[in-house]
Amino acid sequence: MAAAAEAAGAFPSTASSNSDSEDLLLLPNLLPSAAAPSSPSHAQLHHFHVPSIPSPITVRALPSRGLSFQLWPSASTLLRVLPASPHLLPRAPAPGAPPLSVLELGSGTGAAGLALAAALPARAVLSDLPGALPNLRHNAGLNAPLLASAGAGASVVPLPWGDAAAMREVAAARAEAPFDLVVASDVVYYEALVDPLIETLRFFVKGEVVFLMAHMRRWKRTDKKFFGKARKLFNIEVVHEDPPLEGWRHGPVVYRFTAKKQHGKK
């Protein structure tokens, strides 16, 4: 979520005049019951227990710094559903096989990407805008021993959506182990960022690569624009729906995207 929030000017913790921002600030964020008390700097530690890993994933949130540093419902859905649903993956993890190679877009705190890396297991690349990277690197470091014990790992890179040079650089760094899976949670809400996100998906989600996205419906116009453009390029199916959150008509939904076969190309 962080990539979209920062790029759209929602970095301050107070609401802006943008109606999308105001709605997002009213959306309940994800605050696990195991959260540690806030420190004087308003940092919070949150712990995520995933059945397939022996210790919880721990991430630091910095709510006072804005939307980019908070935890959101769709991340919880994604990290809960995917480890228990191997049929959704491009290939099932198997003993002796190399770990999956995963790219997370708009990682924010990295909760979903880190949990998936440990649980699948996977070699994950967590990505976001430069302003979110120090906290993201901090959280990757907190969980490095747990990931290593699972045969997994996580690295952190800057990746502005739609930036062709940045996308090529991320892909080139993984040339020996191309991405099998792209994941994201709560990344569709600012209409101005729909096209850059679509271009990023077009670049990375091709061939047998699968994109799994957890999404919370917010604005009909933005959703219509995103899914309208996405369906021209990808086959999209709903693979999981959570019940509505208290006070809301919708709960997080998980979508599976695969690239459409282009006529005339093998």
Side-chain angles (χ1 to χ4, degrees), residues 84-97:
S85 308
H87 63 284
L88 299 179
L89 303 175
R91 59 180 174 87

Side-chain angles (χ1 to χ4, degrees), residues 24-222:
L24 286 167
L25 288 169
L26 292 172
L27 182 69
N29 63 353
L30 172 64
L31 297 175
S33 59
S38 298
S39 71
S41 63
H42 304 292
Q44 299 173 343
L45 289 181
H46 300 274
H47 308 285
F48 298 86
H49 296 270
V50 181
S52 58
I53 57 179
S55 302
I57 291 291
T58 299
V59 298
R60 181 181 69 181
L62 302 168
S64 64
R65 295 191 61 184
L67 301 180
S68 303
F69 299 88
Q70 298 182 34
L71 296 162
W72 298 89
S74 294
S76 177
T77 297
L78 195 66
L79 68 86
R80 185 182 75 251
V81 170
L82 292 197
S85 308
H87 63 284
L88 299 179
L89 303 175
R91 59 180 174 87
L100 287 167
S101 181
V102 177
L103 171 65
E104 184 180 31
L105 302 176
S107 296
T109 64
L114 291 167
L116 294 176
L120 294 178
R123 299 285 182 179
V125 174
L126 313 180
S127 70
D128 218 307
L129 292 174
L133 299 191
N135 191 55
L136 192 52
R137 290 192 180 100
H138 175 86
N139 288 337
L142 284 179
N143 295 280
L146 175 60
L147 268 62
S149 70
S155 58
V156 174
V157 301
L159 182 55
W161 298 342
D163 185 323
M167 292 189 291
R168 288 194 296 268
E169 185 174 345
V170 170
R174 303 291 291 193
E176 295 184 3
F179 295 115
D180 303 295
L181 177 66
V182 179
V183 298
S185 56
D186 281 317
V187 292
V188 178
Y189 51 95
Y190 284 116
E191 187 175 357
L193 290 172
V194 166
D195 287 339
L197 178 56
I198 290 289
E199 286 306 308
T200 303
L201 296 178
R202 187 203 296 266
F203 183 88
F204 287 108
V205 183
K206 49 194 173 185
E208 302 304 314
V209 177
V210 170
F211 174 48
L212 290 164
M213 180 183 79
H215 174 61
M216 183 85 175
R217 288 182 60 187
R218 295 178 178 85
W219 291 98
K220 290 182 180 179
R221 188 172 71 179
T222 303

